[in-house]
Amino acid sequence: MHRTKEKKETPDKHPQTLQSGFHIEADKILSKTSVSVNNVLSIVDFKEDTAILKMRKGKIKISGEELSISVYENKIVEILGKVRNIEFL
Amino acid sequence: MMRIDYLLIGYREFTVDIEDIAKAAEIFLKCGISIKFIGNSFYADEKKSKIIENALLGKVKFQKSELLGFGGFILKNRKRFGVFFAIIFTVFIIGLSSDKVWDIRIEGCESGEENKIISDLEECGFKVGSSWSKINMSHVEVDFLSKSEEVSWININRRGTVAYITVIAKSSYSEPDENVGYANVISEYDAIIEEITVMRGIAMVKAGDTVKKGDLLISGVIPEELGGGFCYAEGIIRGRISDSIEVSVPDFKEEKISGKKKLSLMSVKILGFSVNIFKSYRNSEEKCDIIEEKKTFSLFGRDIPFVVNKKYNVRYVPERIELTKEEMTEMALNQTAETVTDKLKDSNLIRISTSGKFVGSSYVMTTDMVYSCNIGKNISFNVHKS
């Protein structure tokens, strides 16, 4: 069978495809909220009431109470707790 | 909640200062280590502990506990053989006893009939004390229904060591008349009538007539001169149908080039209860296939109620492969054969002709065929009495 490899081009993007700058998902887990943030470059600050994360397109500040942090592969960070506010800095 | 594999294999607890949580999390993010902080502590198995120690050494102050969990317990008591023997013996007894039916509860019947149902089930090989792993539930249900004169449906559900049996008793009524109600017979296709046999109703067409889809073939309305009234029309009408199938095959196909398999989820099912052990997130923009694996275990030939479920992500990259003219023709032939076989499964083929040509970058195959089949379909109607 004859195979030809085509020159790789930027794949066609559906106009509604998410840009890779940031991607946030939020879930309710019992009385707490889980906020998962993709493509995190670094963790600027973390305290029990504030988390500041840096991504390619800017920083994000998550504030609330009793926050805890989890770090996953593929640069995903999850903040779990009583999330009150999410700000883009 | 602590991961069950950590509890079984053993784990260590790491503690950092509250001010250093951000710094430690940053190090784990850059090294690609998954960690879940609980306050200023986190847990890791023995293998991961060494990686974490190397990552944090010299950068963040931390405290590490001794080996905890069942693994730690074994390490501490590795010379006390009696303790291990007692644990293994207890697990063995629990495993064996969970394989037995301890109780049978019946729903859906009168209280006096329960004993009869239980004794009938005993004849089919199912009773208190039977082994779950040795019983084929479907065989027992079928066997029971063939012997029972009072029960028309039975379902046996297992919840732990208790069998919940639901039954539906047979009702004493006669089988309903299939011809209750009225109906016409209409044509399902555009066709030429070859043969019509009327079993009930009034024929509206004859052999040689051309009919369209939806045309009335046999009427369920009886004319006044024949007695009047309505009936459920029935009959066999064979019609000759001309049909055309077109298949178009492009000059390329997409194949997946698979990458490495990566574990994304692991859970354990113990005695029917499911516990998540491990879950990892993937980049949702990447394309991947998901493979699911289930592993069961047995001890001395008996299945134990312990199942391990795993899910793997296999990333792939679609690659475009150009086809030769011969390959395009072969693909078009295969697709056409599949469609023709499906259409002709209850029909007689009279004539078929196929032709193909290259149109632009595609190959188009056209098949014209003439076949005969049953074309009648019953459509019910209601009569409102004024």
Side-chain angles (χ1 to χ4, degrees):
Chain A
M1 187 168 65
H2 173 66
R3 279 189 189 213
T4 49
K5 254 193 177 167
E6 287 196 348
K7 189 179 167 185
K8 282 189 180 172
E9 297 167 353
T10 312
D12 288 329
K13 282 191 181 172
H14 192 278
Q16 291 169 358
T17 302
L18 282 170
Q19 297 302 314
S20 57
F22 61 84
H23 180 171
I24 300 176
E25 284 176 19
D27 261 315
K28 197 98 175 120
I29 299 172
L30 298 175
S31 61
K32 296 186 179 179
T33 307
S34 156
V35 177
S36 295
V37 185
N38 288 22
N39 296 320
V40 174
L41 293 181
S42 71
I43 298 163
V44 176
D45 190 21
F46 179 82
K47 292 194 204 63
E48 211 189 24
D49 56 359
T50 319
I52 301 177
L53 311 174
K54 185 183 173 189
M55 291 161 296
R56 193 167 65 85
K57 292 218 167 179
K59 289 184 193 169
I60 180 173
K61 180 179 171 184
I62 299 168
S63 24
E65 292 155 32
E66 298 170 16
L67 302 180
S68 66
I69 187 169
S70 299
V71 174
Y72 297 98
E73 305 160 10
N74 290 341
K75 301 189 187 303
I76 295 173
V77 173
E78 183 194 18
I79 304 294
L80 179 69
K82 291 177 185 167
V83 175
R84 299 276 180 241
N85 206 22
I86 300 176
E87 280 177 72
F88 293 92
L89 305 175
Chain B
M1 189 183 158
M2 178 56 64
R3 279 170 56 159
I4 198 159
D5 58 332
Y6 282 5
L7 281 172
L8 290 171
I9 299 165
Y11 65 95
R12 292 191 191 268
E13 183 181 353
F14 287 81
T15 310
V16 298
D17 292 335
I18 290 175
E19 307 81 51
D20 289 334
I21 293 177
K23 201 171 173 184
E26 170 95 5
I27 293 169
F28 297 141
L29 184 73
K30 287 192 164 32
C31 296
I33 303 171
S34 290
I35 289 292
K36 188 182 172 85
F37 278 88
I38 300 169
N40 60 334
S41 304
F42 56 90
Y43 304 95
D45 59 22
E46 185 65 14
K47 188 177 167 189
K48 205 167 173 180
S49 298
K50 294 189 176 113
I51 301 170
I52 290 168
E53 273 187 71
N54 290 337
L56 294 179
L57 209 58
K59 296 171 193 161
V60 172
K61 235 173 27 180
F62 63 91
Q63 283 153 354
K64 182 179 84 174
S65 72
E66 57 177 4
L67 193 64
L68 304 167
F70 189 62
F73 172 79
I74 290 176
L75 197 67
K76 267 188 246 177
N77 301 288
R78 56 187 180 272
K79 290 188 180 160
R80 293 181 190 165
F81 299 112
V83 171
F84 293 120
F85 178 75
I87 291 169
I88 292 166
F89 183 73
T90 308
V91 167
F92 179 70
I93 294 294
I94 291 172
L96 272 184
S97 59
S98 69
D99 186 47
K100 299 289 180 193
V101 178
W102 285 19
D103 192 19
I104 294 175
R105 293 179 198 175
I106 302 177
E107 300 160 350
C109 70
E110 304 291 332
S111 55
E113 293 166 357
E114 277 184 20
N115 292 334
K116 177 84 175 55
I117 292 173
I118 289 173
S119 70
D120 285 346
L121 281 169
E122 210 171 304
E123 285 172 31
C124 302
F126 183 80
K127 58 179 180 180
V128 170
S130 298
S131 202
W132 286 107
S133 55
K134 284 187 177 169
I135 297 169
N136 186 322
M137 225 53 73
S138 312
H139 286 167
V140 168
E141 288 166 2
V142 166
D143 224 1
F144 176 87
L145 288 175
S146 65
K147 287 182 178 142
S148 173
E149 288 170 358
E150 290 89 21
V151 174
S152 66
W153 181 83
I154 183 169
N155 179 245
I156 303 173
N157 269 322
R158 177 186 178 181
R159 284 182 225 167
T161 54
V162 178
Y164 285 85
I165 298 175
T166 311
V167 298
I168 295 178
K170 277 185 186 168
S171 302
S172 55
Y173 58 84
S174 56
E175 287 295 329
D177 189 352
E178 277 180 13
N179 295 327
V180 165
Y182 311 116
N184 290 324
V185 176
I186 65 168
S187 177
E188 263 193 290
Y189 307 95
D190 295 347
I192 298 172
I193 306 289
E194 284 192 328
E195 188 188 324
I196 175 165
T197 307
V198 177
M199 287 183 275
R200 194 181 297 112
I202 305 295
M204 304 304 287
V205 294
K206 59 183 186 307
D209 285 351
T210 303
V211 295
K212 288 209 164 309
K213 183 175 174 179
D215 280 356
L216 182 64
L217 303 176
I218 302 176
S219 173
V221 178
I222 312 294
E224 290 293 335
E225 51 270 27
L226 294 175
F230 307 94
C231 72
Y232 192 95
E234 260 187 292
I236 301 168
I237 308 106
R238 281 200 82 80
R240 183 179 298 194
I241 300 166
S242 292
D243 203 353
S244 183
I245 299 165
E246 192 178 276
V247 165
S248 175
V249 175
D251 62 354
F252 69 92
K253 67 175 178 181
E254 280 205 351
E255 260 189 22
K256 290 179 188 176
I257 307 295
S258 295
K260 214 171 149 186
K261 201 164 83 166
K262 197 171 172 185
L263 183 67
S264 66
L265 184 134
M266 183 168 158
S267 69
V268 159
K269 207 168 179 178
I270 305 172
L271 295 172
F273 296 101
S274 192
V275 176
N276 276 340
I277 292 173
F278 169 79
K279 187 174 182 180
S280 77
Y281 292 88
R282 63 175 175 87
N283 189 338
S284 56
E285 287 185 27
E286 284 173 338
K287 291 182 184 176
C288 71
D289 288 328
I290 296 172
I291 298 171
E292 202 165 338
E293 241 177 47
K294 235 180 215 176
K295 204 171 175 182
T296 54
F297 299 86
S298 62
L299 192 63
F300 303 119
R302 290 167 188 270
D303 284 337
I304 54 175
F306 184 84
V307 179
V308 177
N309 292 321
K310 287 183 187 176
K311 262 192 194 166
Y312 295 92
N313 289 338
V314 182
R315 288 184 204 146
Y316 67 84
V317 175
E319 192 180 308
R320 188 179 156 124
I321 297 167
E322 280 185 12
L323 299 172
T324 60
K325 287 188 175 174
E326 289 77 26
E327 284 166 344
M328 287 165 74
T329 314
E330 196 182 331
M331 274 180 76
L333 255 171
N334 289 339
Q335 286 179 27
T336 303
E338 217 176 289
T339 313
V340 166
T341 308
D342 187 55
K343 278 191 182 271
L344 295 180
K345 57 179 179 234
D346 291 317
S347 315
N348 293 330
L349 181 65
I350 296 168
R351 190 172 62 245
I352 187 166
S353 71
T354 305
S355 62
K357 58 185 177 183
F358 288 92
V359 177
S361 61
S362 302
Y363 178 71
V364 179
M365 184 173 273
T366 310
T367 303
D368 296 310
M369 51 188 195
V370 177
Y371 59 94
S372 76
C373 66
N374 285 334
I375 62 169
K377 184 170 97 167
N378 275 103
I379 293 287
S380 300
F381 63 85
N382 293 321
V383 174
H384 298 285
K385 292 180 182 168
S386 53

